[in-house]
Amino acid sequence: MLELSEVHVGYGRTAVVHGVSLTVPAGGVVAVMGHNGAGKTTLLRAAVGLLAPRSGSVRLDGQDVTRLRPHQRVRRGLAYVAQGQQAFGQLTARENLLLVADAQPRGVGAARTDEALDLFPALRGLLGRRAGLLSGGQRQQLAIARALITKPRVLLLDEPTEGIQPSVVAEIEDAVLALTRAGDLAVLLVEQHVGFALAAAARYVVLESGRVREEGAGGAEKEEQVRAAMAL
């Protein structure tokens, strides 16, 4: 479980997020939505430890991790997939996965890689291709698969559907739902694709100028309500 409590964070003297609180339960998805500049990515960066909150706290499985560095949070079960289909372009898809798999205990990395590829079977036929030659959707699947090899308890996804064709959006949504149905994984999803976010999430939060404008239970039937909130 991930819990952010009254988090205030920004860059230098510029405050961006103002007192945001949310809880992502084990086996659940919470979607954070809002227009560009609303503070969504800044909030994720505070959760993963790339930005230090000015006040407030970040708790992971009940333990305060507010002052821990990103790699320390990763060891405790946090994984972060940044915006922009991150991959090492000169390496093959297989080599991208091995960068993480080889750091796992002996015999564990290969098994976890297989599990991740089961979620994105199209990647199996692309393992020998350089990541820089993959489509944006394929690179995004690769980035998520690489994060899953660490067997996180909490997965942070920043705009996973940005610039991706609809068919791959559906595959990513199916993968996220399959992961959470399996039981223990919590997902904090930052997303502008409202339909995708609400279909995947049990709860949602809409940010505006770094503050919570609206929050509630997820579900496709909330799409019109959320779009109206974002239009105000």
Side-chain angles (χ1 to χ4, degrees):
M1 180 185 77
L2 178 69
E3 183 180 4
L4 280 63
S5 179
E6 288 295 319
V7 169
H8 292 257
V9 65
Y11 302 88
R13 296 183 179 181
T14 304
V16 177
V17 171
H18 309 273
V20 172
S21 298
L22 59 84
T23 298
V24 190
V29 180
V30 173
V32 179
M33 293 174 283
H35 295 299
N36 288 335
K40 306 183 301 297
T41 293
T42 301
L43 186 67
L44 276 198
R45 289 171 65 85
V48 78
L50 294 172
L51 289 173
R54 298 174 178 186
S55 62
S57 65
V58 180
R59 301 182 72 84
L60 182 59
D61 285 340
Q63 308 240 330
D64 192 333
V65 298
T66 310
R67 302 303 166 195
L68 294 187
R69 295 179 178 275
H71 72 273
Q72 294 172 311
R73 301 188 196 197
V74 169
R75 288 175 185 163
R76 292 182 181 225
L78 197 65
Y80 175 48
V81 179
Q83 186 178 10
Q85 301 106 43
Q86 302 291 321
F88 296 97
Q90 295 303 311
L91 301 180
T92 65
R94 178 182 287 106
E95 289 167 338
N96 269 265
L97 297 175
L98 286 175
L99 286 173
V100 179
D102 285 350
Q104 307 306 308
R106 186 173 181 179
V108 172
R112 290 181 180 175
T113 300
D114 278 340
E115 290 174 5
L117 290 173
D118 284 343
L119 288 169
F120 302 112
L123 288 178
R124 290 190 183 276
L126 301 169
L127 291 177
R129 185 175 300 181
R130 281 195 348 208
L133 300 178
L134 300 178
S135 70
Q138 291 163 347
R139 287 196 304 274
Q140 187 65 276
Q141 290 176 322
L142 179 62
I144 296 172
R146 192 174 57 210
L148 292 173
I149 294 173
T150 66
K151 205 70 172 178
R153 292 196 298 277
V154 181
L155 178 63
L156 309 181
L157 296 175
D158 192 359
E159 302 279 11
T161 69
E162 182 183 37
I164 292 176
Q165 59 269 39
S167 61
V168 179
V169 170
E171 291 173 7
I172 291 174
E173 180 183 332
D174 289 345
V176 169
L177 292 175
L179 288 165
T180 55
R181 279 196 297 265
D184 295 332
L185 182 68
V187 177
L188 180 57
L189 170 68
V190 161
E191 184 57 64
Q192 289 204 58
H193 190 304
V194 175
F196 166 73
L198 291 174
R203 292 195 62 79
Y204 72 88
V205 172
V206 175
L207 294 186
E208 180 182 350
S209 300
R211 293 179 171 85
V212 176
R213 178 177 184 83
E214 181 173 308
E215 59 184 311
E221 71 279 2
K222 296 290 187 71
E223 183 169 349
E224 184 175 339
Q225 176 181 332
V226 170
R227 289 190 183 280
M230 291 173 64
L232 295 176

